[in-house]
Amino acid sequence: MKVFAISDLHLSLNNPKPMDIFGPAWEGYLNKVFLDWQDKVGENDLVLLAGDFSWAMNLADTKKDFQLLENLPGKKIIIRGNHDYWWKSISAVRDFLPKGFYAIQNDAIRFGKVIICGTRGWQVPENNSEMTPENLKIFNREAIRLELTLQAGDKLRSDESDRLICMMHYPPVNFKREDSEYSLLLEKYKVDDVVFGHLHGYKRATLAFIKKNINYYLTSCDLVDNKLTLIYED
C-alpha cells in the first residue's frame, strides 16, 4: 500500500470559480492532477486530501465535486480546510460522502499498518505581534483538537511498526520552522509524517523537510506542480 497526498483542490462544479485567475500554476490544473492520480494510485492505496476541497457553501452543493473524484482509484481521506464552509457537522459529512471517501475530524482511522489522524489547525505566527487575542483563542482551541486526534491515533497503535500520519490544513510551524505548540504535540505523540497545505504561491515555502525525526510535507496542488506527493510505501 502507498500513501499519497495533495491538498487545496478548490473544486467548484456547482458554482464555477475559475482558479486560473490566481496565476498560471492553476491553468488546467485539475486535468494535471487527475492524470497524475490515475498514473500513480492503485485501488488499495490511500490519497490524503488536506483541506480546501470545495468552494461550495453547503454540503448538497459539493455533490458534483465528490463525483469528480469518486471513480479515481484509491481510498480518499479528507479533513476540513479554512475554505470548506460546506463542512458543518462531521456526522452529516460522513453520511453524505460517496463510497471510498473517509472524513477525519479530531479522530483517527486505521488502514492496515497505517493510522491517519487529522484536524484543521491554525496559523502559526512568525512573531508574537501577529498573535492577536482572537487568533490566540482559535490557536489554543485548535491545539486541543490536535491533541484529541493524536490521542485517537495513538490508541489505534498496536506496536512500533504502525505508522502514524497526521493531516493538518494549516502548516504546524512557521517559515522559520520554530517549535510551536502544534509541533511539540506532534513530537509528543511520535508522529511519523505530517501532511499540510493552505500555502499558495510562496517561493520560500519548502515542500518537504524533517524536524526532530518527523517528515513534513507541504502538498498545496499549485506548489507541487499539481502532482500527488508520495508520503509512505510499505
Side-chain angles (χ1 to χ4, degrees):
M1 182 177 70
K2 296 179 181 179
V3 181
F4 297 94
I6 193 164
S7 68
D8 298 79
L9 294 179
H10 291 288
L11 303 177
S12 59
L13 267 69
N14 193 67
N15 295 297
K17 183 172 181 176
M19 291 298 294
D20 54 12
I21 63 173
F22 297 108
W26 296 95
E27 294 176 3
Y29 78 104
L30 286 179
N31 285 335
K32 296 175 185 176
V33 171
F34 296 158
L35 286 172
D36 188 65
W37 188 316
Q38 291 168 329
D39 183 58
K40 290 178 177 176
V41 181
E43 289 299 333
N44 295 320
D45 295 335
L46 308 180
V47 180
L48 311 182
L49 302 168
D52 282 4
F53 177 77
S54 171
W55 283 115
M57 297 300 293
N58 60 74
L59 186 57
D61 286 343
T62 67
K63 184 175 182 179
K64 291 181 180 179
D65 295 330
F66 280 109
Q67 288 177 336
L68 196 63
L69 274 65
E70 186 175 3
N71 293 322
L72 290 172
K75 302 177 181 69
K76 300 95 177 173
I77 301 93
I78 65 172
I79 61 169
R80 184 181 182 180
N82 63 304
H83 286 298
D84 288 316
Y85 302 113
W86 54 272
W87 187 312
K88 303 294 194 301
S89 159
I90 183 60
S91 58
V93 170
R94 285 174 173 158
D95 288 342
F96 183 85
L97 289 178
K99 182 179 179 181
F101 278 86
Y102 305 82
I104 291 178
Q105 182 172 294
N106 314 324
D107 51 8
I109 188 169
R110 183 186 182 103
F111 299 90
K113 300 292 288 183
V114 175
I115 300 163
I116 310 294
C117 62
T119 191
R120 186 188 66 173
W122 194 245
Q123 184 172 339
V124 177
E126 297 297 313
N127 55 70
N128 290 334
S129 65
E130 297 178 7
M131 189 61 86
T132 65
E134 180 61 24
N135 277 334
L136 180 61
K137 179 181 178 180
I138 300 172
F139 184 93
N140 290 337
R141 183 186 66 201
E142 293 297 324
I144 294 172
R145 292 173 173 172
L146 176 58
E147 184 150 31
L148 286 173
T149 194
L150 291 171
Q151 288 173 343
D154 193 54
K155 287 179 181 178
L156 292 179
R157 272 179 164 154
S158 58
D159 57 56
E160 292 184 356
S161 66
D162 289 336
R163 195 163 193 95
L164 181 57
I165 302 176
C166 183
M167 302 167 65
M168 298 185 70
H169 180 63
Y170 284 89
V173 294
N174 59 23
F175 280 113
K176 292 176 281 188
R177 302 182 205 163
E178 297 171 319
D179 288 343
S180 71
E181 188 168 354
Y182 298 157
S183 68
L184 293 176
L185 283 170
L186 295 165
E187 293 161 21
K188 174 183 176 181
Y189 288 91
K190 299 180 181 179
V191 171
D192 294 291
D193 309 285
V194 180
V195 171
F196 62 95
H198 183 67
L199 300 179
H200 297 293
Y202 284 88
K203 294 182 180 179
R204 60 176 172 155
T206 303
L207 298 180
F209 60 90
I210 299 174
K211 177 178 170 64
K212 297 183 180 177
N213 298 317
I214 299 176
N215 304 305
Y216 289 82
Y217 299 92
L218 170 56
T219 63
S220 303
C221 61
D222 61 316
L223 298 182
V224 295
D225 196 26
N226 302 306
K227 295 179 180 179
L228 278 66
T229 299
L230 177 64
I231 306 300
Y232 174 69
E233 180 178 4
D234 64 11

